[in-house]
Amino acid sequence: MATVNLEINGRSYAVGCADGQEKRVRLLGQQFDGHVRQVASDVGQVGELRLFLMAALMLADELHDTRQRLEDGRGPVDQDGPQKAPPPPSGDGVAEALNAVAARIEKICQGL
C-alpha cells in the first residue's frame, strides 16, 4: 500500500492508497482542495469538518447531476464541452442550512 500526502486547505494529510494509484489520488485531492477553498471563500473558515462536509456535498451534487444526465440519455457532457459545475448557491440561507447539517453530524459523531 502506498501513501500520498495531500494538502487540503493548507493542511497536510497522509492518505493510503493502492500501489499505482498515487497520481489519481493526488488529482482527486487537488479537486477536493479546490472545492474546500471555494467553500471557505464563500462562507469563511467555519471549521475543518464543516468545510469538508460542504465540499463533499458539492461533489455529491455534481456526481448526482452527471448520473442524472446519463440516465436521461444526455451523456456526461453538453455539446458545448464538458459539463461545468453550477456556481455554488449564494445567500445566508444555504450557509445556515449547511451549518445546521454539519452541527447535527458533529453531535452524532460525539455520541459514537
Side-chain angles (χ1 to χ4, degrees):
M1 176 174 264
T3 301
V4 175
N5 288 314
L6 303 176
E7 186 172 312
I8 309 294
N9 199 32
R11 188 168 175 193
S12 184
Y13 295 89
V15 177
C17 66
D19 290 332
Q21 293 296 311
E22 298 91 347
K23 185 177 178 180
R24 180 169 177 78
V25 171
R26 280 188 196 95
L27 178 67
L28 294 171
Q30 290 171 350
Q31 180 183 7
F32 185 68
D33 180 52
H35 280 79
V36 171
R37 288 178 185 271
Q38 180 180 349
V39 171
S41 72
D42 291 344
V43 300
Q45 293 291 339
V46 293
E48 188 173 86
L49 180 63
R50 287 188 175 150
L51 287 176
F52 282 25
L53 172 64
M54 291 178 204
L57 288 172
M58 288 173 64
L59 287 166
D61 184 53
E62 289 176 20
L63 177 60
H64 175 77
D65 287 348
T66 300
R67 285 182 174 162
Q68 190 65 50
R69 291 184 60 77
L70 289 170
E71 286 177 16
D72 294 346
R74 293 181 283 158
V77 295
D78 291 327
Q79 291 178 347
D80 296 334
Q83 180 181 359
K84 294 182 180 171
S90 59
D92 293 338
V94 173
E96 272 184 16
L98 289 173
N99 284 332
V101 170
R104 186 168 179 203
I105 289 172
E106 287 175 345
K107 186 176 179 182
I108 291 169
C109 290
Q110 289 173 353
L112 296 178

